[in-house]
PDB file of all heavy atoms in Angstrom:
ATOM      1  N   GLY A   1     169.783-105.029 -41.034  1.00  0.00           N
ATOM      2  CA  GLY A   1     168.650-105.263 -40.146  1.00  0.00           C
ATOM      3  C   GLY A   1     168.326-104.038 -39.320  1.00  0.00           C
ATOM      4  O   GLY A   1     169.126-103.110 -39.203  1.00  0.00           O
ATOM      5  N   THR A   2     167.147-104.035 -38.754  1.00  0.00           N
ATOM      6  CA  THR A   2     166.695-102.876 -37.995  1.00  0.00           C
ATOM      7  C   THR A   2     167.398-102.782 -36.639  1.00  0.00           C
ATOM      8  O   THR A   2     167.888-103.775 -36.110  1.00  0.00           O
ATOM      9  CB  THR A   2     165.176-102.953 -37.752  1.00  0.00           C
ATOM     10  OG1 THR A   2     164.888-104.177 -37.057  1.00  0.00           O
ATOM     11  CG2 THR A   2     164.416-102.916 -39.061  1.00  0.00           C
ATOM     12  N   CYS A   3     167.444-101.570 -36.104  1.00  0.00           N
ATOM     13  CA  CYS A   3     168.042-101.322 -34.794  1.00  0.00           C
ATOM     14  C   CYS A   3     166.962-101.300 -33.723  1.00  0.00           C
ATOM     15  O   CYS A   3     165.826-100.890 -33.971  1.00  0.00           O
ATOM     16  CB  CYS A   3     168.748 -99.962 -34.781  1.00  0.00           C
ATOM     17  SG  CYS A   3     170.187 -99.851 -35.837  1.00  0.00           S
ATOM     18  N   ASP A   4     167.334-101.712 -32.539  1.00  0.00           N
ATOM     19  CA  ASP A   4     166.440-101.498 -31.404  1.00  0.00           C
ATOM     20  C   ASP A   4     166.322-100.004 -31.139  1.00  0.00           C
ATOM     21  O   ASP A   4     167.219 -99.217 -31.477  1.00  0.00           O
ATOM     22  CB  ASP A   4     166.986-102.194 -30.156  1.00  0.00           C
ATOM     23  CG  ASP A   4     166.966-103.711 -30.275  1.00  0.00           C
ATOM     24  OD1 ASP A   4     166.141-104.233 -31.039  1.00  0.00           O
ATOM     25  OD2 ASP A   4     167.804-104.358 -29.615  1.00  0.00           O
ATOM     26  N   ALA A   5     165.220 -99.599 -30.525  1.00  0.00           N
ATOM     27  CA  ALA A   5     165.021 -98.183 -30.215  1.00  0.00           C
ATOM     28  C   ALA A   5     166.033 -97.746 -29.158  1.00  0.00           C
ATOM     29  O   ALA A   5     166.122 -98.339 -28.085  1.00  0.00           O
ATOM     30  CB  ALA A   5     163.600 -97.944 -29.736  1.00  0.00           C
ATOM     31  N   LEU A   6     166.797 -96.723 -29.469  1.00  0.00           N
ATOM     32  CA  LEU A   6     167.854 -96.228 -28.595  1.00  0.00           C
ATOM     33  C   LEU A   6     167.286 -95.176 -27.645  1.00  0.00           C
ATOM     34  O   LEU A   6     166.638 -94.218 -28.094  1.00  0.00           O
ATOM     35  CB  LEU A   6     168.965 -95.599 -29.445  1.00  0.00           C
ATOM     36  CG  LEU A   6     170.179 -95.041 -28.713  1.00  0.00           C
ATOM     37  CD1 LEU A   6     171.010 -96.176 -28.126  1.00  0.00           C
ATOM     38  CD2 LEU A   6     171.030 -94.207 -29.674  1.00  0.00           C
ATOM     39  N   PRO A   7     167.503 -95.304 -26.334  1.00  0.00           N
ATOM     40  CA  PRO A   7     167.003 -94.285 -25.407  1.00  0.00           C
ATOM     41  C   PRO A   7     167.599 -92.908 -25.711  1.00  0.00           C
ATOM     42  O   PRO A   7     168.819 -92.764 -25.844  1.00  0.00           O
ATOM     43  CB  PRO A   7     167.468 -94.797 -24.039  1.00  0.00           C
ATOM     44  CG  PRO A   7     167.641 -96.269 -24.220  1.00  0.00           C
ATOM     45  CD  PRO A   7     168.142 -96.430 -25.628  1.00  0.00           C
ATOM     46  N   VAL A   8     166.724 -91.923 -25.844  1.00  0.00           N
ATOM     47  CA  VAL A   8     167.130 -90.536 -26.075  1.00  0.00           C
ATOM     48  C   VAL A   8     166.459 -89.668 -25.014  1.00  0.00           C
ATOM     49  O   VAL A   8     165.232 -89.539 -24.996  1.00  0.00           O
ATOM     50  CB  VAL A   8     166.732 -90.049 -27.487  1.00  0.00           C
ATOM     51  CG1 VAL A   8     167.094 -88.569 -27.661  1.00  0.00           C
ATOM     52  CG2 VAL A   8     167.404 -90.899 -28.562  1.00  0.00           C
ATOM     53  N   TYR A   9     167.254 -89.116 -24.128  1.00  0.00           N
ATOM     54  CA  TYR A   9     166.760 -88.248 -23.057  1.00  0.00           C
ATOM     55  C   TYR A   9     166.830 -86.814 -23.563  1.00  0.00           C
ATOM     56  O   TYR A   9     167.907 -86.303 -23.858  1.00  0.00           O
ATOM     57  CB  TYR A   9     167.596 -88.439 -21.795  1.00  0.00           C
ATOM     58  CG  TYR A   9     167.484 -89.832 -21.219  1.00  0.00           C
ATOM     59  CD1 TYR A   9     168.251 -90.883 -21.723  1.00  0.00           C
ATOM     60  CD2 TYR A   9     166.596 -90.103 -20.184  1.00  0.00           C
ATOM     61  CE1 TYR A   9     168.134 -92.172 -21.214  1.00  0.00           C
ATOM     62  CE2 TYR A   9     166.473 -91.388 -19.660  1.00  0.00           C
ATOM     63  CZ  TYR A   9     167.243 -92.410 -20.186  1.00  0.00           C
ATOM     64  OH  TYR A   9     167.118 -93.688 -19.677  1.00  0.00           O
ATOM     65  N   ALA A  10     165.667 -86.170 -23.681  1.00  0.00           N
ATOM     66  CA  ALA A  10     165.615 -84.874 -24.338  1.00  0.00           C
ATOM     67  C   ALA A  10     164.443 -84.064 -23.802  1.00  0.00           C
ATOM     68  O   ALA A  10     163.504 -84.611 -23.216  1.00  0.00           O
ATOM     69  CB  ALA A  10     165.463 -85.077 -25.850  1.00  0.00           C
ATOM     70  N   PRO A  11     164.474 -82.748 -24.016  1.00  0.00           N
ATOM     71  CA  PRO A  11     163.325 -81.933 -23.623  1.00  0.00           C
ATOM     72  C   PRO A  11     162.054 -82.363 -24.358  1.00  0.00           C
ATOM     73  O   PRO A  11     162.117 -83.003 -25.423  1.00  0.00           O
ATOM     74  CB  PRO A  11     163.751 -80.512 -24.033  1.00  0.00           C
ATOM     75  CG  PRO A  11     165.232 -80.551 -24.038  1.00  0.00           C
ATOM     76  CD  PRO A  11     165.590 -81.930 -24.507  1.00  0.00           C
ATOM     77  N   ASP A  12     160.942 -81.999 -23.812  1.00  0.00           N
ATOM     78  CA  ASP A  12     159.645 -82.320 -24.407  1.00  0.00           C
ATOM     79  C   ASP A  12     159.584 -81.792 -25.838  1.00  0.00           C
ATOM     80  O   ASP A  12     160.035 -80.690 -26.132  1.00  0.00           O
ATOM     81  CB  ASP A  12     158.533 -81.691 -23.559  1.00  0.00           C
ATOM     82  CG  ASP A  12     157.163 -82.138 -23.991  1.00  0.00           C
ATOM     83  OD1 ASP A  12     157.005 -83.309 -24.384  1.00  0.00           O
ATOM     84  OD2 ASP A  12     156.229 -81.303 -23.949  1.00  0.00           O
ATOM     85  N   GLY A  13     159.028 -82.598 -26.733  1.00  0.00           N
ATOM     86  CA  GLY A  13     158.866 -82.189 -28.119  1.00  0.00           C
ATOM     87  C   GLY A  13     160.004 -82.586 -29.035  1.00  0.00           C
ATOM     88  O   GLY A  13     160.003 -82.210 -30.221  1.00  0.00           O
ATOM     89  N   ALA A  14     160.954 -83.362 -28.541  1.00  0.00           N
ATOM     90  CA  ALA A  14     162.121 -83.713 -29.356  1.00  0.00           C
ATOM     91  C   ALA A  14     161.732 -84.523 -30.589  1.00  0.00           C
ATOM     92  O   ALA A  14     162.233 -84.263 -31.696  1.00  0.00           O
ATOM     93  CB  ALA A  14     163.137 -84.483 -28.515  1.00  0.00           C
ATOM     94  N   GLU A  15     160.862 -85.489 -30.431  1.00  0.00           N
ATOM     95  CA  GLU A  15     160.476 -86.313 -31.581  1.00  0.00           C
ATOM     96  C   GLU A  15     159.840 -85.453 -32.679  1.00  0.00           C
ATOM     97  O   GLU A  15     160.192 -85.572 -33.861  1.00  0.00           O
ATOM     98  CB  GLU A  15     159.514 -87.415 -31.151  1.00  0.00           C
ATOM     99  CG  GLU A  15     159.080 -88.304 -32.313  1.00  0.00           C
ATOM    100  CD  GLU A  15     158.136 -89.428 -31.907  1.00  0.00           C
ATOM    101  OE1 GLU A  15     157.829 -89.549 -30.701  1.00  0.00           O
ATOM    102  OE2 GLU A  15     157.717 -90.186 -32.797  1.00  0.00           O
ATOM    103  N   GLN A  16     158.924 -84.583 -32.292  1.00  0.00           N
ATOM    104  CA  GLN A  16     158.268 -83.724 -33.273  1.00  0.00           C
ATOM    105  C   GLN A  16     159.267 -82.782 -33.942  1.00  0.00           C
ATOM    106  O   GLN A  16     159.228 -82.570 -35.160  1.00  0.00           O
ATOM    107  CB  GLN A  16     157.161 -82.915 -32.610  1.00  0.00           C
ATOM    108  CG  GLN A  16     156.415 -81.998 -33.572  1.00  0.00           C
ATOM    109  CD  GLN A  16     155.346 -81.187 -32.884  1.00  0.00           C
ATOM    110  OE1 GLN A  16     155.195 -81.231 -31.663  1.00  0.00           O
ATOM    111  NE2 GLN A  16     154.584 -80.442 -33.661  1.00  0.00           N
ATOM    112  N   ARG A  17     160.181 -82.218 -33.160  1.00  0.00           N
ATOM    113  CA  ARG A  17     161.159 -81.294 -33.718  1.00  0.00           C
ATOM    114  C   ARG A  17     162.032 -81.995 -34.753  1.00  0.00           C
ATOM    115  O   ARG A  17     162.277 -81.460 -35.850  1.00  0.00           O
ATOM    116  CB  ARG A  17     162.027 -80.715 -32.599  1.00  0.00           C
ATOM    117  CG  ARG A  17     163.170 -79.817 -33.059  1.00  0.00           C
ATOM    118  CD  ARG A  17     162.666 -78.530 -33.709  1.00  0.00           C
ATOM    119  NE  ARG A  17     161.935 -77.739 -32.755  1.00  0.00           N
ATOM    120  CZ  ARG A  17     162.489 -76.855 -31.922  1.00  0.00           C
ATOM    121  NH1 ARG A  17     163.790 -76.665 -31.952  1.00  0.00           N
ATOM    122  NH2 ARG A  17     161.741 -76.165 -31.094  1.00  0.00           N
ATOM    123  N   LEU A  18     162.525 -83.186 -34.430  1.00  0.00           N
ATOM    124  CA  LEU A  18     163.409 -83.888 -35.352  1.00  0.00           C
ATOM    125  C   LEU A  18     162.659 -84.399 -36.571  1.00  0.00           C
ATOM    126  O   LEU A  18     163.185 -84.361 -37.692  1.00  0.00           O
ATOM    127  CB  LEU A  18     164.105 -85.034 -34.626  1.00  0.00           C
ATOM    128  CG  LEU A  18     165.083 -84.599 -33.532  1.00  0.00           C
ATOM    129  CD1 LEU A  18     165.573 -85.804 -32.746  1.00  0.00           C
ATOM    130  CD2 LEU A  18     166.262 -83.835 -34.118  1.00  0.00           C
ATOM    131  N   ALA A  19     161.429 -84.863 -36.377  1.00  0.00           N
ATOM    132  CA  ALA A  19     160.628 -85.310 -37.516  1.00  0.00           C
ATOM    133  C   ALA A  19     160.321 -84.143 -38.449  1.00  0.00           C
ATOM    134  O   ALA A  19     160.337 -84.292 -39.678  1.00  0.00           O
ATOM    135  CB  ALA A  19     159.337 -85.955 -37.021  1.00  0.00           C
ATOM    136  N   THR A  20     160.078 -82.973 -37.881  1.00  0.00           N
ATOM    137  CA  THR A  20     159.831 -81.785 -38.695  1.00  0.00           C
ATOM    138  C   THR A  20     161.077 -81.392 -39.475  1.00  0.00           C
ATOM    139  O   THR A  20     161.014 -81.036 -40.663  1.00  0.00           O
ATOM    140  CB  THR A  20     159.375 -80.609 -37.815  1.00  0.00           C
ATOM    141  OG1 THR A  20     158.166 -80.979 -37.137  1.00  0.00           O
ATOM    142  CG2 THR A  20     159.134 -79.356 -38.631  1.00  0.00           C
ATOM    143  N   ALA A  21     162.233 -81.469 -38.822  1.00  0.00           N
ATOM    144  CA  ALA A  21     163.485 -81.137 -39.504  1.00  0.00           C
ATOM    145  C   ALA A  21     163.774 -82.125 -40.631  1.00  0.00           C
ATOM    146  O   ALA A  21     164.229 -81.721 -41.711  1.00  0.00           O
ATOM    147  CB  ALA A  21     164.634 -81.131 -38.498  1.00  0.00           C
ATOM    148  N   TYR A  22     163.486 -83.395 -40.400  1.00  0.00           N
ATOM    149  CA  TYR A  22     163.699 -84.396 -41.441  1.00  0.00           C
ATOM    150  C   TYR A  22     162.732 -84.181 -42.602  1.00  0.00           C
ATOM    151  O   TYR A  22     163.080 -84.350 -43.763  1.00  0.00           O
ATOM    152  CB  TYR A  22     163.531 -85.797 -40.847  1.00  0.00           C
ATOM    153  CG  TYR A  22     163.965 -86.899 -41.788  1.00  0.00           C
ATOM    154  CD1 TYR A  22     165.295 -87.293 -41.831  1.00  0.00           C
ATOM    155  CD2 TYR A  22     163.049 -87.521 -42.638  1.00  0.00           C
ATOM    156  CE1 TYR A  22     165.707 -88.306 -42.700  1.00  0.00           C
ATOM    157  CE2 TYR A  22     163.455 -88.516 -43.512  1.00  0.00           C
ATOM    158  CZ  TYR A  22     164.776 -88.910 -43.538  1.00  0.00           C
ATOM    159  OH  TYR A  22     165.177 -89.898 -44.406  1.00  0.00           O
ATOM    160  N   ALA A  23     161.495 -83.858 -42.268  1.00  0.00           N
ATOM    161  CA  ALA A  23     160.465 -83.364 -43.204  1.00  0.00           C
ATOM    162  C   ALA A  23     159.745 -84.435 -44.019  1.00  0.00           C
ATOM    163  O   ALA A  23     158.590 -84.249 -44.375  1.00  0.00           O
ATOM    164  CB  ALA A  23     161.048 -82.311 -44.144  1.00  0.00           C
ATOM    165  N   ASP A  24     160.365 -85.538 -44.326  1.00  0.00           N
ATOM    166  CA  ASP A  24     159.729 -86.532 -45.195  1.00  0.00           C
ATOM    167  C   ASP A  24     159.870 -87.911 -44.573  1.00  0.00           C
ATOM    168  O   ASP A  24     160.551 -88.789 -45.097  1.00  0.00           O
ATOM    169  CB  ASP A  24     160.370 -86.488 -46.586  1.00  0.00           C
ATOM    170  CG  ASP A  24     159.628 -87.363 -47.590  1.00  0.00           C
ATOM    171  OD1 ASP A  24     158.449 -87.671 -47.347  1.00  0.00           O
ATOM    172  OD2 ASP A  24     160.238 -87.742 -48.615  1.00  0.00           O
ATOM    173  N   MET A  25     159.200 -88.097 -43.434  1.00  0.00           N
ATOM    174  CA  MET A  25     159.319 -89.350 -42.704  1.00  0.00           C
ATOM    175  C   MET A  25     158.687 -90.505 -43.478  1.00  0.00           C
ATOM    176  O   MET A  25     157.646 -90.341 -44.117  1.00  0.00           O
ATOM    177  CB  MET A  25     158.646 -89.227 -41.334  1.00  0.00           C
ATOM    178  CG  MET A  25     159.228 -88.150 -40.440  1.00  0.00           C
ATOM    179  SD  MET A  25     160.958 -88.436 -40.064  1.00  0.00           S
ATOM    180  CE  MET A  25     160.848 -90.001 -39.211  1.00  0.00           C
ATOM    181  N   PRO A  26     159.310 -91.689 -43.415  1.00  0.00           N
ATOM    182  CA  PRO A  26     158.713 -92.854 -44.077  1.00  0.00           C
ATOM    183  C   PRO A  26     157.337 -93.199 -43.529  1.00  0.00           C
ATOM    184  O   PRO A  26     156.488 -93.736 -44.246  1.00  0.00           O
ATOM    185  CB  PRO A  26     159.714 -93.975 -43.791  1.00  0.00           C
ATOM    186  CG  PRO A  26     160.989 -93.277 -43.466  1.00  0.00           C
ATOM    187  CD  PRO A  26     160.609 -91.993 -42.812  1.00  0.00           C
ATOM    188  N   SER A  27     157.125 -92.909 -42.239  1.00  0.00           N
ATOM    189  CA  SER A  27     155.825 -93.132 -41.610  1.00  0.00           C
ATOM    190  C   SER A  27     155.721 -92.223 -40.397  1.00  0.00           C
ATOM    191  O   SER A  27     156.723 -91.647 -39.951  1.00  0.00           O
ATOM    192  CB  SER A  27     155.662 -94.593 -41.181  1.00  0.00           C
ATOM    193  OG  SER A  27     156.492 -94.882 -40.073  1.00  0.00           O
ATOM    194  N   ALA A  28     154.537 -92.114 -39.851  1.00  0.00           N
ATOM    195  CA  ALA A  28     154.325 -91.233 -38.707  1.00  0.00           C
ATOM    196  C   ALA A  28     155.075 -91.705 -37.474  1.00  0.00           C
ATOM    197  O   ALA A  28     155.367 -90.915 -36.571  1.00  0.00           O
ATOM    198  CB  ALA A  28     152.831 -91.124 -38.408  1.00  0.00           C
ATOM    199  N   THR A  29     155.389 -92.994 -37.420  1.00  0.00           N
ATOM    200  CA  THR A  29     156.045 -93.557 -36.233  1.00  0.00           C
ATOM    201  C   THR A  29     157.521 -93.877 -36.457  1.00  0.00           C
ATOM    202  O   THR A  29     158.176 -94.403 -35.563  1.00  0.00           O
ATOM    203  CB  THR A  29     155.328 -94.842 -35.788  1.00  0.00           C
ATOM    204  OG1 THR A  29     155.408 -95.827 -36.851  1.00  0.00           O
ATOM    205  CG2 THR A  29     153.862 -94.566 -35.464  1.00  0.00           C
ATOM    206  N   ALA A  30     158.051 -93.570 -37.628  1.00  0.00           N
ATOM    207  CA  ALA A  30     159.404 -94.021 -37.978  1.00  0.00           C
ATOM    208  C   ALA A  30     160.464 -93.510 -37.005  1.00  0.00           C
ATOM    209  O   ALA A  30     161.366 -94.255 -36.611  1.00  0.00           O
ATOM    210  CB  ALA A  30     159.746 -93.587 -39.402  1.00  0.00           C
ATOM    211  N   MET A  31     160.364 -92.249 -36.601  1.00  0.00           N
ATOM    212  CA  MET A  31     161.370 -91.687 -35.697  1.00  0.00           C
ATOM    213  C   MET A  31     161.398 -92.436 -34.372  1.00  0.00           C
ATOM    214  O   MET A  31     162.464 -92.754 -33.827  1.00  0.00           O
ATOM    215  CB  MET A  31     161.106 -90.205 -35.477  1.00  0.00           C
ATOM    216  CG  MET A  31     162.197 -89.447 -34.732  1.00  0.00           C
ATOM    217  SD  MET A  31     163.762 -89.258 -35.617  1.00  0.00           S
ATOM    218  CE  MET A  31     163.318 -88.046 -36.881  1.00  0.00           C
ATOM    219  N   SER A  32     160.211 -92.743 -33.850  1.00  0.00           N
ATOM    220  CA  SER A  32     160.139 -93.436 -32.554  1.00  0.00           C
ATOM    221  C   SER A  32     160.431 -94.923 -32.677  1.00  0.00           C
ATOM    222  O   SER A  32     160.594 -95.603 -31.657  1.00  0.00           O
ATOM    223  CB  SER A  32     158.762 -93.214 -31.914  1.00  0.00           C
ATOM    224  OG  SER A  32     157.734 -93.709 -32.742  1.00  0.00           O
ATOM    225  N   GLU A  33     160.510 -95.439 -33.881  1.00  0.00           N
ATOM    226  CA  GLU A  33     160.881 -96.837 -34.050  1.00  0.00           C
ATOM    227  C   GLU A  33     162.370 -97.062 -33.788  1.00  0.00           C
ATOM    228  O   GLU A  33     162.773 -98.170 -33.419  1.00  0.00           O
ATOM    229  CB  GLU A  33     160.521 -97.313 -35.463  1.00  0.00           C
ATOM    230  CG  GLU A  33     159.020 -97.456 -35.684  1.00  0.00           C
ATOM    231  CD  GLU A  33     158.683 -97.810 -37.123  1.00  0.00           C
ATOM    232  OE1 GLU A  33     159.533 -98.444 -37.796  1.00  0.00           O
ATOM    233  OE2 GLU A  33     157.583 -97.450 -37.577  1.00  0.00           O
ATOM    234  N   VAL A  34     163.185 -96.032 -33.980  1.00  0.00           N
ATOM    235  CA  VAL A  34     164.619 -96.197 -33.743  1.00  0.00           C
ATOM    236  C   VAL A  34     165.119 -95.402 -32.548  1.00  0.00           C
ATOM    237  O   VAL A  34     166.215 -95.653 -32.050  1.00  0.00           O
ATOM    238  CB  VAL A  34     165.446 -95.831 -35.000  1.00  0.00           C
ATOM    239  CG1 VAL A  34     165.137 -96.788 -36.131  1.00  0.00           C
ATOM    240  CG2 VAL A  34     165.224 -94.404 -35.428  1.00  0.00           C
ATOM    241  N   PHE A  35     164.314 -94.428 -32.077  1.00  0.00           N
ATOM    242  CA  PHE A  35     164.670 -93.655 -30.892  1.00  0.00           C
ATOM    243  C   PHE A  35     163.556 -93.758 -29.858  1.00  0.00           C
ATOM    244  O   PHE A  35     162.391 -93.490 -30.158  1.00  0.00           O
ATOM    245  CB  PHE A  35     164.890 -92.178 -31.241  1.00  0.00           C
ATOM    246  CG  PHE A  35     166.021 -91.921 -32.193  1.00  0.00           C
ATOM    247  CD1 PHE A  35     165.844 -91.095 -33.294  1.00  0.00           C
ATOM    248  CD2 PHE A  35     167.270 -92.499 -31.992  1.00  0.00           C
ATOM    249  CE1 PHE A  35     166.883 -90.849 -34.172  1.00  0.00           C
ATOM    250  CE2 PHE A  35     168.322 -92.265 -32.878  1.00  0.00           C
ATOM    251  CZ  PHE A  35     168.122 -91.436 -33.971  1.00  0.00           C
ATOM    252  N   ASP A  36     163.929 -94.149 -28.662  1.00  0.00           N
ATOM    253  CA  ASP A  36     162.992 -94.217 -27.540  1.00  0.00           C
ATOM    254  C   ASP A  36     163.093 -92.902 -26.777  1.00  0.00           C
ATOM    255  O   ASP A  36     163.929 -92.748 -25.887  1.00  0.00           O
ATOM    256  CB  ASP A  36     163.359 -95.405 -26.648  1.00  0.00           C
ATOM    257  CG  ASP A  36     162.485 -95.511 -25.414  1.00  0.00           C
ATOM    258  OD1 ASP A  36     161.471 -94.788 -25.316  1.00  0.00           O
ATOM    259  OD2 ASP A  36     162.837 -96.312 -24.520  1.00  0.00           O
ATOM    260  N   PHE A  37     162.252 -91.937 -27.138  1.00  0.00           N
ATOM    261  CA  PHE A  37     162.332 -90.606 -26.550  1.00  0.00           C
ATOM    262  C   PHE A  37     161.804 -90.614 -25.118  1.00  0.00           C
ATOM    263  O   PHE A  37     160.692 -91.075 -24.854  1.00  0.00           O
ATOM    264  CB  PHE A  37     161.537 -89.604 -27.389  1.00  0.00           C
ATOM    265  CG  PHE A  37     162.172 -89.313 -28.716  1.00  0.00           C
ATOM    266  CD1 PHE A  37     161.729 -89.976 -29.864  1.00  0.00           C
ATOM    267  CD2 PHE A  37     163.211 -88.403 -28.823  1.00  0.00           C
ATOM    268  CE1 PHE A  37     162.314 -89.714 -31.094  1.00  0.00           C
ATOM    269  CE2 PHE A  37     163.803 -88.138 -30.056  1.00  0.00           C
ATOM    270  CZ  PHE A  37     163.349 -88.798 -31.195  1.00  0.00           C
ATOM    271  N   ARG A  38     162.623 -90.076 -24.207  1.00  0.00           N
ATOM    272  CA  ARG A  38     162.268 -90.000 -22.794  1.00  0.00           C
ATOM    273  C   ARG A  38     162.404 -88.548 -22.354  1.00  0.00           C
ATOM    274  O   ARG A  38     163.490 -87.975 -22.429  1.00  0.00           O
ATOM    275  CB  ARG A  38     163.172 -90.925 -21.965  1.00  0.00           C
ATOM    276  CG  ARG A  38     163.123 -92.371 -22.477  1.00  0.00           C
ATOM    277  CD  ARG A  38     164.001 -93.318 -21.697  1.00  0.00           C
ATOM    278  NE  ARG A  38     163.958 -94.652 -22.273  1.00  0.00           N
ATOM    279  CZ  ARG A  38     164.517 -95.731 -21.715  1.00  0.00           C
ATOM    280  NH1 ARG A  38     165.171 -95.609 -20.555  1.00  0.00           N
ATOM    281  NH2 ARG A  38     164.432 -96.906 -22.307  1.00  0.00           N
ATOM    282  N   THR A  39     161.304 -87.958 -21.934  1.00  0.00           N
ATOM    283  CA  THR A  39     161.268 -86.530 -21.642  1.00  0.00           C
ATOM    284  C   THR A  39     162.055 -86.207 -20.388  1.00  0.00           C
ATOM    285  O   THR A  39     161.813 -86.785 -19.325  1.00  0.00           O
ATOM    286  CB  THR A  39     159.818 -86.048 -21.485  1.00  0.00           C
ATOM    287  OG1 THR A  39     159.114 -86.313 -22.706  1.00  0.00           O
ATOM    288  CG2 THR A  39     159.765 -84.546 -21.203  1.00  0.00           C
ATOM    289  N   LEU A  40     162.998 -85.292 -20.520  1.00  0.00           N
ATOM    290  CA  LEU A  40     163.805 -84.870 -19.381  1.00  0.00           C
ATOM    291  C   LEU A  40     162.995 -84.049 -18.400  1.00  0.00           C
ATOM    292  O   LEU A  40     162.189 -83.200 -18.788  1.00  0.00           O
ATOM    293  CB  LEU A  40     165.001 -84.034 -19.848  1.00  0.00           C
ATOM    294  CG  LEU A  40     166.200 -84.770 -20.429  1.00  0.00           C
ATOM    295  CD1 LEU A  40     167.158 -83.785 -21.086  1.00  0.00           C
ATOM    296  CD2 LEU A  40     166.921 -85.564 -19.341  1.00  0.00           C
ATOM    297  N   LYS A  41     163.214 -84.311 -17.138  1.00  0.00           N
ATOM    298  CA  LYS A  41     162.685 -83.516 -16.039  1.00  0.00           C
ATOM    299  C   LYS A  41     163.827 -83.276 -15.055  1.00  0.00           C
ATOM    300  O   LYS A  41     164.746 -84.084 -14.964  1.00  0.00           O
ATOM    301  CB  LYS A  41     161.531 -84.240 -15.330  1.00  0.00           C
ATOM    302  CG  LYS A  41     160.346 -84.581 -16.230  1.00  0.00           C
ATOM    303  CD  LYS A  41     159.600 -83.330 -16.663  1.00  0.00           C
ATOM    304  CE  LYS A  41     158.369 -83.700 -17.495  1.00  0.00           C
ATOM    305  NZ  LYS A  41     157.682 -82.497 -18.017  1.00  0.00           N
ATOM    306  N   PRO A  42     163.801 -82.193 -14.313  1.00  0.00           N
ATOM    307  CA  PRO A  42     164.841 -81.990 -13.306  1.00  0.00           C
ATOM    308  C   PRO A  42     164.851 -83.144 -12.304  1.00  0.00           C
ATOM    309  O   PRO A  42     163.807 -83.614 -11.860  1.00  0.00           O
ATOM    310  CB  PRO A  42     164.432 -80.675 -12.638  1.00  0.00           C
ATOM    311  CG  PRO A  42     163.627 -79.964 -13.668  1.00  0.00           C
ATOM    312  CD  PRO A  42     162.874 -81.042 -14.390  1.00  0.00           C
ATOM    313  N   GLY A  43     166.050 -83.608 -11.975  1.00  0.00           N
ATOM    314  CA  GLY A  43     166.167 -84.682 -10.997  1.00  0.00           C
ATOM    315  C   GLY A  43     167.237 -85.679 -11.372  1.00  0.00           C
ATOM    316  O   GLY A  43     167.965 -85.512 -12.353  1.00  0.00           O
ATOM    317  N   SER A  44     167.344 -86.743 -10.572  1.00  0.00           N
ATOM    318  CA  SER A  44     168.393 -87.746 -10.720  1.00  0.00           C
ATOM    319  C   SER A  44     167.807 -89.093 -11.128  1.00  0.00           C
ATOM    320  O   SER A  44     166.665 -89.415 -10.778  1.00  0.00           O
ATOM    321  CB  SER A  44     169.170 -87.904  -9.409  1.00  0.00           C
ATOM    322  OG  SER A  44     169.789 -86.684  -9.033  1.00  0.00           O
TER     323      SER A  44
END
């Protein structure tokens, strides 16, 4: 079964970088279906 989207705290552009590295995504949204990308900013 499918996984819930896992929070991933990363610099801006992480989804695009990883999708580019993977190169052959099943769909345009596949990466964000399993990873909930949250852009890091300085702070607590």
Side-chain angles (χ1 to χ4, degrees):
T2 58
C3 293
D4 293 334
L6 181 70
V8 176
Y9 296 82
D12 188 36
E15 180 179 358
Q16 181 181 5
R17 175 66 63 87
L18 294 172
T20 300
Y22 190 86
D24 188 21
M25 300 299 298
S27 71
T29 62
M31 189 68 72
S32 60
E33 289 175 28
V34 296
F35 297 132
D36 177 10
F37 290 98
R38 304 180 183 188
T39 301
L40 282 169
K41 301 291 183 184
S44 299

